[in-house]
Amino acid sequence: MILLGHASTHAGPWAEKFDPPPAGLVGLVTDLVERLGAPGAGLAVALENLFPPIPSEVILPLAGFTAGQGRMNLFAAIVWTTIGSVVGAMALYAVGVALGRDRIRAIAARLPLIKLSDVDRTEAWFARHGGKAVFFGRMIPIFRSLISIPAGVERMPFATFLLYTTLGSLIWNTAFVMAGYALGENWRSVEPYVGTFQNAVIAVCALAVGFFVVSRLAGRRRSRSARDAEPVPSTPGPYGPGARVEPSGLPGADRPAHAVRGRLYGTVADSIVRSQQSTRFRAEGP
């Protein structure tokens, strides 16, 4: 407990070597770390889980650098940042629980190009690999926060969620805190590498979404073409077998069902017409 509480509340000589930005998100998190020490780093990481624009690649190496300057205990920095990660993940897990499967399925049913079968497959995959998804997701930018929501939606056992979240967060946080500790005043050099990793993740996600949209649209087009190419079932016309129609020039007159004034040809049709004419002639008389 002494280690966890060992933190500086004022900059002292450290401020002469590091002057945090006065504004913006980076300025906010560096100010939290400067003023509150390890608990401030944990609070900043918790906020980073809830508001992804806050950069963890700044918070964690900064905490390591601060520990290297003797202004914070290294072990406390790792523990407090991991606690912050878990607290933020728990809040998003609660959001997923509040949303629930039924509401997610209702939303998916209204989305274009999305089928409920897609949701079913996703749920089946998460049921099999949810633990690994949460564990590795805690070490992937963007997914670090988002992975907690489907875990809540699917009601992953909370103890399991807590275990994998803690382990994944501990590995991620330790790596970056130690990087800042080792790099010292060059701790900011970590940020470009993480930014490149994050951009790669965004690019892969964009490609995956693009492939999904294109393949789904192509599938719909193929289904529509297949329906249009299906032969129309032949049904007997109103004039009997063997009848054909001479178009009369009226719209739709080339089809037996619409050839009101067309002339009928064909063995059976001719017999019907001649019979009707003969009956009418006898009824009228000479």
Side-chain angles (χ1 to χ4, degrees):
M1 294 303 295
I2 295 176
L3 290 174
L4 295 181
H6 181 68
S8 173
T9 57
H10 30 114
W14 173 65
E16 298 176 0
K17 296 183 178 182
F18 174 69
D19 184 19
L25 292 174
V26 176
L28 171 65
V29 298
T30 52
D31 188 59
L32 281 174
V33 175
E34 177 187 347
R35 293 179 180 277
L36 302 178
L43 176 59
V45 171
L47 293 175
E48 179 260 338
N49 278 263
L50 299 175
F51 305 101
I54 296 178
S56 63
E57 63 269 21
V58 171
I59 304 169
L60 299 173
L62 173 60
F65 166 66
T66 307
Q69 295 296 308
R71 312 303 300 178
M72 183 189 303
N73 182 274
L74 180 62
F75 178 71
I78 294 174
V79 171
W80 276 106
T81 54
T82 301
I83 291 174
S85 295
V86 173
V87 169
M90 288 168 58
L92 292 176
Y93 178 90
V95 171
V97 171
L99 284 173
R101 292 180 66 253
D102 293 340
R103 188 172 286 110
I104 291 295
R105 293 177 70 86
I107 294 173
R110 296 189 183 97
L111 295 177
L113 303 180
I114 301 295
K115 303 176 182 177
L116 288 180
S117 58
D118 299 328
V119 180
D120 294 336
R121 284 193 294 269
T122 303
E123 290 180 340
W125 182 90
F126 201 88
R128 293 193 302 271
H129 308 289
K132 290 180 286 187
V134 170
F135 175 73
F136 290 107
R138 296 301 304 174
M139 294 178 277
I140 301 176
I142 300 175
F143 290 96
R144 280 172 43 76
S145 300
L146 298 179
I147 193 62
S148 302
I149 297 178
V153 170
E154 295 301 319
R155 299 294 181 94
M156 172 184 283
F158 186 73
T160 302
F161 170 78
L162 195 62
L163 173 64
Y164 286 115
T165 297
T166 302
L167 291 176
S169 300
L170 180 62
I171 293 172
W172 175 268
N173 294 349
T174 300
F176 282 94
V177 169
M178 293 302 299
Y181 184 85
L183 292 171
E185 294 183 8
N186 296 320
W187 66 270
R188 283 188 177 276
S189 61
V190 175
E191 187 176 354
Y193 293 101
V194 179
T196 301
F197 183 27
Q198 178 170 303
N199 291 335
V201 172
I202 293 173
V204 170
C205 292
L207 288 174
V209 171
F211 176 78
F212 172 81
V213 171
V214 171
S215 60
R216 184 57 54 86
L217 290 175
R220 287 190 174 184
R221 191 176 297 111
R222 286 193 298 268
S223 298
R224 190 179 302 115
S225 299
R227 287 196 302 268
D228 293 341
E230 288 180 357
V232 179
S234 58
T235 56
Y239 308 111
R244 60 188 178 87
V245 178
E246 181 183 63
S248 65
L250 296 176
D254 56 334
R255 297 192 299 274
H258 299 87
V260 178
R261 297 185 181 179
R263 183 178 177 185
L264 298 177
Y265 294 89
T267 306
V268 176
D270 286 344
S271 300
I272 296 173
V273 172
R274 284 196 299 271
S275 174
Q276 291 175 344
Q277 290 175 345
S278 175
T279 302
R280 188 165 50 253
F281 175 78
R282 287 196 301 271
E284 293 175 354

